Amino acid sequence: MAEVEFRDVTRKYAGGTVALKNLNLTVGDGEFLILVGPSGCGKSTALRLLAGLDKPTSGEIRIGGSVVNGLAPGERDIAMVFQNYALYPHMTVYRNLAYGLRQRRTPRDEVERRVRETAALLEIDELLDRKPGQLSGGQRQRVAMGRALVRKPQAFLLDEPLSNLDAKLRNQVRGDLKRLHRELPVTSIYVTHDQVEAMTLGDRLCVMSRGEVQQIGTTDDIYNRPANTFVAAFMGSPPMNLMPGVVRHGTLHVGDAAITAAATPDGPVTVGVRPEHLEVRTTMADGMVPARVDFVEPLGSHALVTAIVGDDTRVVVQAPAGTSLDAGTRIGLSMPPERTYFFDATTGDAHPTRERIAL
């Protein structure tokens, strides 16, 4: 295991496209870090640079304290798992697992021991005589992970490894990954665009957009203390609701309604509230945001009410199961002061103190 560092790493392509801009990131020894963001945000570029499959335009990449910019992929002592598994179809599971060790001329008895140990850890020891075509998607993904782990690399890189699996298998393999990292804490960097995967898997998350880091922190940090409106709207399912507002003489106004006292400077703001923290009221009262129902989605354990605030601001409310409201119904939305956030209306950044509405 080893610490991984990116120091002011930038990657520019022909034509001036900047895929990664001044990335500064340290992944601790044995840490499981998630790179998360939409397509094109630079997360896979960062992984390819670390693996040696691409070269940075500027900056340093360090593994275990050593600069690896000039090293070939095979000299970096890392292992990578791709979303398409990349297994040898003509080889058995055993031979797929053993291939990298044999290429390194590892003694036969050591190959046997490590393959058997890894197979048992991943619960694929009964599949060693099968070929990839005889396996399910989840089993093939475990074999791909096993082939990487059996080498005992300094770092373990995973590039959207669950993308090809159906929802049920994704949940199962996600659990396998958490258990695996608990039992074998290899320094791991996991790339995904799925914010649910990101929030449930990693020790820390690095949220990216347009080649730049937006926020680094634990799931609690990212979800409850978003650094800007991008993070607030990207992380969460459904994401945080963002509404235009203005603070006048210390009072927050949303639409034509005066909501409550606001511990933030006067001027335009973006107000953020998560769906689970809004409440639907069928009778308007002071301090509520006026809205009209667009549609309701019953989901068994709860319902999602989509409503329109003002002319065209769409918000989603997580309401109790059984909630039924006709389209066009006028409602009031109650916002808990301690769960309401302010962001700069121009930059989208959270206000420096990240103060919330004060009663």
Side-chain angles (χ1 to χ4, degrees):
M1 297 186 291
E3 183 178 83
V4 171
E5 294 179 89
F6 292 85
R7 296 188 177 182
D8 293 315
V9 174
T10 293
R11 180 63 172 107
K12 294 181 181 179
Y13 291 105
T17 301
V18 180
L20 204 61
K21 183 178 180 180
N22 298 328
L23 175 61
N24 285 285
L25 177 65
T26 299
V27 186
D29 188 1
E31 183 179 13
F32 197 146
L33 181 118
I34 310 293
L35 294 177
V36 60
S39 297
C41 72
K43 56 188 185 296
S44 290
T45 298
L47 210 65
R48 288 176 57 82
L49 293 174
L50 179 58
L53 302 177
D54 198 358
K55 294 184 178 180
T57 305
S58 61
E60 284 186 352
I61 299 174
R62 293 172 174 257
I63 300 176
S66 300
V67 178
V68 298
N69 291 46
L71 297 182
E75 300 174 304
R76 299 191 181 198
D77 193 19
I78 58 176
M80 195 163 183
V81 176
F82 303 92
Q83 70 181 75
N84 63 355
Y85 315 133
L87 301 176
Y88 295 109
H90 63 287
M91 293 184 181
T92 63
V93 169
Y94 183 97
R95 292 180 62 197
N96 265 284
L97 294 176
Y99 182 80
L101 296 175
R102 288 175 172 170
Q103 290 295 105
R104 295 179 173 223
R105 302 185 183 281
T106 305
R108 182 175 297 180
D109 58 344
E110 178 69 3
V111 171
E112 173 75 10
R113 183 184 65 79
R114 285 164 68 171
V115 166
R116 298 287 177 184
E117 283 182 356
T118 303
L121 183 66
L122 292 167
E123 299 179 355
I124 54 173
D125 39 340
E126 295 183 358
L127 307 175
L128 293 176
D129 294 329
R130 298 187 190 180
K131 292 184 178 179
Q134 299 172 295
L135 305 178
S136 68
Q139 290 170 336
R140 277 179 280 180
Q141 192 55 271
R142 292 187 191 186
V143 175
M145 290 189 289
R147 191 175 61 179
L149 286 171
V150 74
R151 290 170 39 199
K152 297 184 178 178
Q154 290 194 85
F156 189 30
L157 314 183
L158 302 102
D159 191 3
E160 306 214 36
L162 310 186
S163 295
N164 290 340
L165 305 180
D166 61 37
K168 183 177 180 180
L169 271 177
R170 278 201 303 274
N171 290 337
Q172 178 184 333
V173 179
R174 194 161 64 223
D176 292 340
L177 280 169
K178 287 183 73 73
R179 176 182 58 82
L180 182 62
H181 190 261
R182 184 177 65 247
E183 296 178 9
L184 191 66
V186 178
T187 304
S188 302
I189 302 177
Y190 185 107
V191 163
T192 182
H193 65 275
D194 186 325
Q195 48 86 27
V196 174
E197 275 182 24
M199 294 175 69
T200 56
L201 273 175
D203 298 323
R204 286 190 303 152
L205 287 66
C206 174
V207 185
M208 302 183 67
S209 176
R210 297 182 179 182
E212 296 186 80
V213 172
Q214 302 298 309
Q215 187 173 357
I216 300 172
T218 64
T219 294
D220 182 64
D221 292 332
I222 301 296
Y223 192 79
N224 293 312
R225 290 172 287 280
N228 53 43
T229 52
F230 175 83
V231 176
F234 186 76
M235 302 303 293
S237 182
M240 180 181 285
N241 296 300
L242 299 173
M243 297 173 280
V246 62
V247 177
R248 300 191 192 101
H249 307 297
T251 299
L252 173 66
H253 296 256
V254 177
D256 296 327
I259 305 304
T260 189
T264 193
D266 283 4
V269 292
T270 297
V271 183
V273 189
R274 294 218 173 264
E276 63 269 28
H277 298 143
L278 282 172
E279 292 185 33
V280 173
R281 305 290 188 184
T282 54
T283 302
M284 277 294 300
D286 291 342
M288 292 185 185
V289 178
R292 66 183 187 277
V293 175
D294 192 10
F295 57 88
V296 177
E297 299 172 273
L299 297 175
S301 61
H302 62 278
L304 295 180
V305 178
T306 298
I308 307 297
V309 173
D311 293 331
D312 57 5
T313 301
R314 191 176 297 271
V315 299
V316 177
V317 183
Q318 182 174 308
T323 297
S324 179
L325 296 165
D326 294 332
T329 301
R330 297 287 175 173
I331 57 174
L333 301 178
S334 177
M335 303 192 308
E338 72 282 3
R339 291 293 188 176
T340 304
Y341 298 80
F342 292 112
F343 302 91
D344 188 282
T346 302
T347 66
D349 293 335
H351 281 193
T353 58
R354 298 193 189 170
E355 298 252 22
R356 303 182 186 176
I357 294 176
L359 287 171

